[in-house]
Coordinates of all heavy atoms in Angstrom, one line a residue:
M655 N 28.3 9.7 44.3 CA 28.7 9.6 42.9 C 29.3 11.0 42.6 O 28.8 12.0 42.8 CB 27.5 9.3 42.0 CG 27.8 9.3 40.6 SD 26.4 8.8 39.5 CE 26.6 7.1 39.4
S656 N 30.5 11.0 42.0 CA 31.1 12.2 41.6 C 30.5 12.8 40.4 O 29.8 12.2 39.6 CB 32.6 12.0 41.4 OG 32.8 11.3 40.1
G657 N 30.7 14.1 40.2 CA 30.1 14.8 39.1 C 30.6 14.3 37.8 O 29.8 14.2 36.8
K658 N 31.8 13.9 37.7 CA 32.4 13.3 36.5 C 31.7 12.0 36.1 O 31.4 11.8 34.9 CB 33.9 13.1 36.6 CG 34.6 12.8 35.4 CD 36.1 12.8 35.6 CE 36.8 12.6 34.3 NZ 38.3 12.6 34.4
N659 N 31.5 11.1 37.1 CA 30.9 9.9 36.8 C 29.4 10.1 36.4 O 28.9 9.4 35.6 CB 30.9 9.0 38.1 CG 32.3 8.4 38.3 OD1 33.1 8.4 37.4 ND2 32.6 8.0 39.5
F660 N 28.8 11.1 37.1 CA 27.4 11.4 36.8 C 27.2 11.9 35.4 O 26.3 11.5 34.6 CB 26.8 12.4 37.8 CG 25.4 12.7 37.5 CD1 24.4 11.8 37.8 CD2 25.0 13.9 37.0 CE1 23.0 12.1 37.6 CE2 23.7 14.3 36.7 CZ 22.7 13.4 37.0
Q661 N 28.2 12.7 35.0 CA 28.2 13.3 33.6 C 28.3 12.2 32.6 O 27.7 12.1 31.6 CB 29.3 14.3 33.4 CG 29.3 15.0 32.1 CD 28.0 15.8 31.8 OE1 27.4 16.3 32.6 NE2 27.7 15.8 30.5
G662 N 29.3 11.2 32.9 CA 29.5 10.1 32.0 C 28.2 9.2 31.9 O 27.9 8.8 30.7
L663 N 27.6 9.0 33.0 CA 26.4 8.2 33.0 C 25.3 8.9 32.2 O 24.6 8.3 31.4 CB 25.9 7.9 34.4 CG 24.7 7.1 34.6 CD1 24.8 5.7 33.9 CD2 24.3 6.9 36.1
K664 N 25.2 10.2 32.4 CA 24.2 11.0 31.7 C 24.4 10.9 30.2 O 23.4 10.7 29.4 CB 24.2 12.4 32.2 CG 23.3 13.4 31.5 CD 23.4 14.8 32.0 CE 22.6 15.7 31.1 NZ 23.0 17.1 31.1
E665 N 25.6 11.0 29.8 CA 25.9 10.9 28.3 C 25.6 9.6 27.8 O 25.1 9.4 26.6 CB 27.4 11.3 28.1 CG 27.7 12.7 28.3 CD 29.2 13.1 28.3 OE1 30.0 12.2 28.0 OE2 29.5 14.2 28.5
Q666 N 25.9 8.5 28.5 CA 25.6 7.1 28.1 C 24.1 7.0 27.9 O 23.6 6.4 26.9 CB 26.1 6.1 29.1 CG 27.6 5.9 29.0 CD 28.1 4.9 30.0 OE1 27.4 4.5 30.9 NE2 29.3 4.5 29.9
V667 N 23.3 7.5 28.9 CA 21.8 7.4 28.8 C 21.3 8.2 27.7 O 20.4 7.7 26.9 CB 21.2 7.8 30.2 CG1 19.7 8.0 30.1 CG2 21.6 6.9 31.3
E668 N 21.8 9.4 27.5 CA 21.4 10.2 26.3 C 21.7 9.5 25.0 O 20.9 9.5 24.1 CB 22.0 11.6 26.4 CG 21.4 12.4 27.5 CD 22.2 13.8 27.6 OE1 23.3 13.9 27.0 OE2 21.7 14.6 28.3
G669 N 22.9 8.9 24.9 CA 23.3 8.2 23.7 C 22.4 7.0 23.5 O 22.0 6.8 22.3
A670 N 22.1 6.3 24.5 CA 21.2 5.1 24.4 C 19.8 5.5 23.9 O 19.2 4.9 23.1 CB 21.1 4.3 25.7
A671 N 19.3 6.6 24.5 CA 18.0 7.1 24.2 C 18.0 7.6 22.7 O 17.0 7.3 22.0 CB 17.6 8.3 25.1
K672 N 19.0 8.2 22.2 CA 19.1 8.7 20.8 C 19.1 7.4 19.9 O 18.4 7.4 18.9 CB 20.3 9.5 20.6 CG 20.1 10.9 21.1 CD 21.4 11.8 20.9 CE 21.3 13.1 21.5 NZ 22.5 13.9 21.3
D673 N 19.9 6.4 20.3 CA 20.0 5.2 19.5 C 18.6 4.5 19.4 O 18.2 4.1 18.3 CB 21.0 4.2 20.1 CG 22.4 4.7 19.9 OD1 22.7 5.6 19.0 OD2 23.3 4.1 20.5
A674 N 17.9 4.5 20.5 CA 16.6 3.8 20.6 C 15.6 4.6 19.7 O 14.8 4.0 19.0 CB 16.1 3.8 22.0
A675 N 15.7 5.9 19.8 CA 14.8 6.8 19.0 C 15.1 6.6 17.5 O 14.1 6.5 16.7 CB 14.9 8.2 19.4
N676 N 16.3 6.5 17.1 CA 16.7 6.3 15.7 C 16.2 4.9 15.2 O 15.7 4.8 14.1 CB 18.2 6.4 15.5 CG 18.7 7.9 15.6 OD1 17.9 8.8 15.5 ND2 19.9 8.0 16.0
T677 N 16.4 3.9 16.1 CA 16.0 2.6 15.7 C 14.5 2.5 15.6 O 13.9 2.0 14.6 CB 16.4 1.6 16.8 OG1 17.8 1.6 16.9 CG2 15.9 0.2 16.5
L678 N 13.7 3.2 16.5 CA 12.3 3.2 16.4 C 11.9 4.0 15.1 O 10.9 3.6 14.4 CB 11.7 3.9 17.6 CG 10.2 4.1 17.6 CD1 9.5 2.7 17.6 CD2 9.8 4.8 18.9
G679 N 12.6 5.0 14.8 CA 12.2 5.8 13.6 C 12.4 5.0 12.3 O 11.6 5.0 11.4
R680 N 13.5 4.2 12.3 CA 13.8 3.4 11.1 C 12.7 2.3 11.0 O 12.2 1.9 9.9 CB 15.2 2.8 11.2 CG 16.3 3.8 10.8 CD 17.6 3.1 10.6 NE 18.1 2.5 11.8 CZ 18.8 3.0 12.8 NH1 19.1 4.3 12.7 NH2 19.2 2.3 13.8
A681 N 12.4 1.7 12.2 CA 11.4 0.6 12.2 C 10.0 1.1 11.7 O 9.3 0.5 11.0 CB 11.3 0.0 13.6
T682 N 9.7 2.3 12.2 CA 8.4 2.9 11.8 C 8.4 3.2 10.3 O 7.4 2.9 9.6 CB 8.2 4.2 12.6 OG1 8.2 3.9 14.0 CG2 6.9 4.9 12.2
E683 N 9.5 3.7 9.8 CA 9.6 4.0 8.4 C 9.5 2.7 7.5 O 8.8 2.7 6.5 CB 10.9 4.7 8.1 CG 11.0 5.2 6.6 CD 12.3 5.9 6.4 OE1 13.1 6.2 7.3 OE2 12.6 6.2 5.2
D684 N 10.1 1.7 8.0 CA 10.0 0.4 7.3 C 8.6 -0.1 7.3 O 8.1 -0.6 6.3 CB 11.0 -0.6 7.9 CG 12.4 -0.4 7.7 OD1 12.7 0.5 6.8 OD2 13.3 -1.0 8.4
A685 N 7.9 0.0 8.4 CA 6.5 -0.5 8.5 C 5.6 0.3 7.6 O 4.8 -0.2 6.9 CB 6.1 -0.4 10.0
V686 N 5.8 1.6 7.6 CA 5.0 2.5 6.7 C 5.3 2.1 5.3 O 4.3 2.0 4.5 CB 5.3 4.0 7.0 CG1 4.7 4.9 5.9 CG2 4.8 4.4 8.3
N687 N 6.5 1.9 4.9 CA 6.8 1.5 3.5 C 6.2 0.1 3.2 O 5.6 0.0 2.0 CB 8.3 1.4 3.3 CG 9.0 2.8 3.3 OD1 8.3 3.8 3.1 ND2 10.3 2.8 3.6
Q688 N 6.2 -0.8 4.1 CA 5.5 -2.1 3.8 C 4.0 -1.9 3.7 O 3.4 -2.5 2.8 CB 5.9 -3.1 4.9 CG 7.3 -3.6 4.9 CD 7.6 -4.5 6.1 OE1 6.8 -4.8 6.9 NE2 8.9 -5.0 6.1
I689 N 3.4 -1.1 4.5 CA 2.0 -0.9 4.5 C 1.6 -0.2 3.2 O 0.7 -0.6 2.5 CB 1.5 -0.1 5.7 CG1 1.6 -1.0 6.9 CG2 0.1 0.4 5.5 CD1 1.5 -0.2 8.2
T690 N 2.4 0.8 2.8 CA 2.2 1.5 1.5 C 2.3 0.6 0.3 O 1.5 0.6 -0.6 CB 3.2 2.7 1.4 OG1 3.1 3.5 2.5 CG2 3.0 3.4 0.1
G691 N 3.3 -0.3 0.3 CA 3.5 -1.3 -0.8 C 2.3 -2.2 -0.8 O 1.8 -2.5 -1.9
A692 N 1.9 -2.7 0.3 CA 0.8 -3.7 0.4 C -0.5 -3.0 -0.1 O -1.3 -3.6 -0.8 CB 0.6 -4.3 1.8
S693 N -0.7 -1.8 0.4 CA -1.9 -1.0 0.0 C -1.9 -0.8 -1.5 O -3.0 -0.9 -2.2 CB -1.9 0.3 0.7 OG -2.1 0.2 2.1
Q694 N -0.8 -0.4 -2.1 CA -0.7 -0.2 -3.5 C -1.0 -1.5 -4.3 O -1.7 -1.5 -5.3 CB 0.7 0.3 -4.0 CG 0.7 0.7 -5.4 CD -0.3 1.8 -5.8 OE1 -0.3 2.9 -5.1 NE2 -1.1 1.6 -6.8
K695 N -0.5 -2.6 -3.8 CA -0.8 -3.9 -4.5 C -2.3 -4.2 -4.4 O -2.9 -4.7 -5.4 CB 0.0 -5.0 -3.8 CG 1.5 -5.0 -4.2 CD 2.2 -6.1 -3.5 CE 3.7 -6.0 -3.8 NZ 4.5 -7.1 -3.1
A696 N -2.9 -4.0 -3.2 CA -4.3 -4.2 -3.1 C -5.1 -3.3 -4.0 O -6.1 -3.8 -4.7 CB -4.8 -4.0 -1.6
I697 N -4.7 -2.1 -4.1 CA -5.4 -1.1 -5.0 C -5.3 -1.6 -6.5 O -6.2 -1.6 -7.3 CB -4.9 0.3 -4.9 CG1 -5.4 0.8 -3.5 CG2 -5.4 1.2 -6.0 CD1 -4.7 2.1 -3.1
D698 N -4.1 -2.0 -6.9 CA -3.8 -2.5 -8.2 C -4.7 -3.7 -8.5 O -5.3 -3.8 -9.6 CB -2.3 -2.8 -8.4 CG -1.4 -1.6 -8.4 OD1 -2.0 -0.4 -8.5 OD2 -0.2 -1.7 -8.3
K699 N -4.7 -4.6 -7.6 CA -5.5 -5.8 -7.8 C -7.0 -5.5 -7.9 O -7.7 -6.0 -8.8 CB -5.3 -6.8 -6.6 CG -6.2 -8.0 -6.6 CD -5.3 -9.3 -6.7 CE -6.2 -10.5 -6.7 NZ -5.9 -11.4 -7.7
A700 N -7.5 -4.6 -7.0 CA -8.9 -4.2 -7.1 C -9.2 -3.5 -8.4 O -10.3 -3.8 -9.0 CB -9.3 -3.3 -5.9
S701 N -8.3 -2.7 -8.9 CA -8.5 -2.0 -10.1 C -8.6 -3.0 -11.3 O -9.4 -2.9 -12.2 CB -7.4 -1.0 -10.4 OG -7.4 0.0 -9.4
K702 N -7.7 -4.0 -11.2 CA -7.7 -5.0 -12.3 C -8.9 -5.8 -12.3 O -9.5 -6.1 -13.4 CB -6.4 -5.9 -12.1 CG -6.3 -7.1 -13.0 CD -5.7 -6.7 -14.3 CE -5.4 -7.9 -15.2 NZ -6.3 -8.1 -16.2
V703 N -9.4 -6.2 -11.1 CA -10.6 -7.0 -11.0 C -11.8 -6.1 -11.5 O -12.7 -6.6 -12.3 CB -10.9 -7.4 -9.6 CG1 -12.3 -8.0 -9.4 CG2 -9.9 -8.5 -9.2
A704 N -11.9 -4.9 -11.2 CA -12.9 -4.0 -11.6 C -12.9 -3.8 -13.2 O -13.9 -3.9 -13.8 CB -12.8 -2.6 -10.9
Q705 N -11.7 -3.6 -13.7 CA -11.5 -3.4 -15.1 C -11.9 -4.7 -15.9 O -12.6 -4.6 -16.9 CB -10.0 -3.1 -15.4 CG -9.8 -2.9 -16.9 CD -8.3 -2.6 -17.2 OE1 -7.5 -2.6 -16.3 NE2 -8.0 -2.4 -18.5
D706 N -11.6 -5.9 -15.3 CA -12.0 -7.1 -16.0 C -13.5 -7.3 -15.9 O -14.1 -7.7 -16.9 CB -11.3 -8.3 -15.3 CG -9.8 -8.4 -15.5 OD1 -9.3 -7.7 -16.4 OD2 -9.2 -9.2 -14.8
G707 N -14.1 -6.9 -14.8 CA -15.5 -7.0 -14.7 C -16.2 -6.1 -15.7 O -17.2 -6.5 -16.3
V708 N -15.7 -4.9 -15.9 CA -16.3 -3.9 -16.8 C -16.2 -4.4 -18.2 O -17.1 -4.4 -19.0 CB -15.7 -2.5 -16.7 CG1 -16.0 -1.6 -17.9 CG2 -16.1 -1.9 -15.4
E709 N -15.0 -5.0 -18.6 CA -14.8 -5.5 -19.9 C -15.7 -6.7 -20.2 O -16.3 -6.8 -21.3 CB -13.3 -6.0 -20.1 CG -12.4 -4.8 -20.1 CD -10.9 -5.1 -20.2 OE1 -10.6 -6.4 -20.1 OE2 -10.1 -4.2 -20.2
K710 N -15.9 -7.6 -19.2 CA -16.8 -8.7 -19.4 C -18.3 -8.2 -19.5 O -19.0 -8.7 -20.4 CB -16.7 -9.7 -18.2 CG -15.5 -10.5 -18.2 CD -15.4 -11.4 -17.0 CE -14.1 -12.2 -17.0 NZ -13.9 -13.1 -15.8
A711 N -18.7 -7.3 -18.7 CA -20.0 -6.7 -18.7 C -20.3 -6.0 -20.1 O -21.3 -6.2 -20.7 CB -20.3 -5.7 -17.6
T712 N -19.3 -5.3 -20.6 CA -19.4 -4.7 -21.9 C -19.5 -5.7 -23.0 O -20.4 -5.5 -23.9 CB -18.2 -3.8 -22.1 OG1 -18.0 -2.8 -21.1 CG2 -18.3 -3.1 -23.5
G713 N -18.8 -6.7 -22.9 CA -18.9 -7.8 -23.9 C -20.2 -8.5 -23.9 O -20.8 -8.7 -24.9
H714 N -20.7 -8.8 -22.7 CA -22.1 -9.4 -22.6 C -23.2 -8.4 -23.1 O -24.1 -8.9 -23.7 CB -22.4 -9.8 -21.1 CG -21.5 -10.9 -20.6 ND1 -21.4 -12.1 -21.3 CD2 -20.7 -11.0 -19.5 CE1 -20.5 -12.9 -20.6 NE2 -20.2 -12.3 -19.5
A715 N -23.0 -7.2 -22.8 CA -24.0 -6.2 -23.2 C -24.0 -6.1 -24.8 O -25.0 -6.1 -25.4 CB -23.7 -4.8 -22.6
A716 N -22.8 -6.1 -25.3 CA -22.7 -6.1 -26.8 C -23.3 -7.3 -27.4 O -24.0 -7.2 -28.5 CB -21.2 -5.9 -27.2
E717 N -23.1 -8.5 -26.8 CA -23.7 -9.7 -27.3 C -25.2 -9.7 -27.2 O -25.9 -10.1 -28.2 CB -23.1 -10.9 -26.6 CG -21.7 -11.2 -26.9 CD -21.1 -12.3 -26.0 OE1 -21.9 -13.1 -25.4 OE2 -19.9 -12.5 -25.9
A718 N -25.7 -9.2 -26.1 CA -27.1 -9.1 -25.9 C -27.8 -8.1 -26.9 O -28.8 -8.4 -27.5 CB -27.4 -8.6 -24.5
L719 N -27.1 -7.0 -27.1 CA -27.7 -6.0 -28.1 C -27.6 -6.6 -29.5 O -28.5 -6.4 -30.3 CB -26.9 -4.7 -28.0 CG -27.2 -3.8 -26.8 CD1 -26.3 -2.6 -26.8 CD2 -28.7 -3.4 -26.9
S720 N -26.6 -7.3 -29.8 CA -26.4 -7.9 -31.1 C -27.6 -9.0 -31.3 O -28.2 -9.0 -32.4 CB -25.1 -8.6 -31.3 OG -25.0 -9.2 -32.5
G721 N -27.8 -9.8 -30.3 CA -28.8 -10.8 -30.4 C -30.2 -10.1 -30.5 O -31.1 -10.6 -31.3
L722 N -30.4 -9.0 -29.8 CA -31.7 -8.3 -29.9 C -31.9 -7.7 -31.3 O -32.9 -7.8 -31.9 CB -31.7 -7.2 -28.8 CG -33.0 -6.3 -28.8 CD1 -34.2 -7.2 -28.4 CD2 -32.8 -5.2 -27.8
G723 N -30.8 -7.2 -31.8 CA -30.8 -6.6 -33.2 C -31.2 -7.6 -34.2 O -32.0 -7.4 -35.1
K724 N -30.6 -8.8 -34.0 CA -30.9 -9.9 -35.0 C -32.4 -10.3 -34.8 O -33.1 -10.6 -35.8 CB -30.0 -11.1 -34.7 CG -28.6 -10.9 -35.2 CD -27.7 -12.1 -34.8 CE -26.3 -11.8 -35.2 NZ -25.4 -12.8 -34.9
K725 N -32.9 -10.4 -33.6 CA -34.3 -10.8 -33.4 C -35.3 -9.8 -34.0 O -36.3 -10.1 -34.5 CB -34.6 -11.0 -31.9 CG -34.0 -12.2 -31.4 CD -34.4 -12.4 -29.9 CE -33.7 -13.7 -29.3 NZ -34.0 -13.9 -27.9
C726 N -34.9 -8.5 -33.9 CA -35.7 -7.4 -34.4 C -35.6 -7.2 -35.9 O -36.3 -6.4 -36.5 CB -35.5 -6.1 -33.7 SG -35.9 -6.2 -31.9
G727 N -34.6 -7.9 -36.5 CA -34.4 -7.8 -37.9 C -33.5 -6.7 -38.3 O -33.4 -6.3 -39.5
F728 N -32.8 -6.1 -37.4 CA -31.9 -5.0 -37.7 C -30.6 -5.5 -38.2 O -29.9 -4.8 -39.0 CB -31.6 -4.1 -36.5 CG -32.9 -3.4 -35.9 CD1 -33.2 -3.5 -34.6 CD2 -33.7 -2.6 -36.8 CE1 -34.3 -2.9 -34.1 CE2 -34.8 -2.0 -36.3 CZ -35.1 -2.2 -34.9
E729 N -30.2 -6.7 -37.8 CA -29.0 -7.4 -38.2 C -29.3 -8.7 -38.8 O -30.3 -9.3 -38.5 CB -28.0 -7.5 -37.0 CG -27.5 -6.2 -36.5 CD -26.5 -6.5 -35.4 OE1 -25.8 -7.5 -35.4 OE2 -26.4 -5.6 -34.5
K730 N -28.4 -9.2 -39.6 CA -28.5 -10.5 -40.2 C -27.6 -11.5 -39.5 O -26.6 -11.2 -38.9 CB -28.2 -10.5 -41.7 CG -29.3 -9.7 -42.4 CD -28.9 -9.8 -43.9 CE -29.9 -9.0 -44.7 NZ -29.7 -9.0 -46.1

């Protein structure tokens, strides 16, 4: 194989390797973005569920205290 042909083959291989690396980099970035988005949605959902639970528990506690206050004669 002549030096000129070898150099051309070397450049083609290097170009293909760079293209593959760039493609892998973009695919990795896309995957990280999807994971980040899914994680954020899961965190938002968990926060909403926790907030709803706290609000319900607070409401039940207020009702229980109100009922206790009425039984003890503190409230009418």
Side-chain angles (χ1 to χ4, degrees):
M655 174 178 269
S656 72
K658 190 173 187 180
N659 288 340
F660 181 73
Q661 183 63 30
L663 180 59
K664 180 183 171 199
E665 289 173 2
Q666 286 179 348
V667 169
E668 287 174 348
K672 286 179 184 177
D673 289 346
N676 289 336
T677 299
L678 178 60
R680 284 191 299 272
T682 301
E683 185 177 352
D684 289 346
V686 168
N687 288 340
Q688 288 178 359
I689 291 167
T690 302
S693 297
Q694 187 60 53
K695 286 179 184 178
I697 290 168
D698 291 347
K699 175 118 176 133
S701 296
K702 176 81 170 104
V703 168
Q705 182 180 1
D706 290 348
V708 168
E709 289 174 0
K710 286 179 183 177
T712 301
H714 291 309
E717 289 174 16
L719 286 173
S720 177
L722 180 63
K724 287 178 183 176
K725 286 184 181 178
C726 294
F728 298 126
E729 292 183 28
K730 294 182 180 178

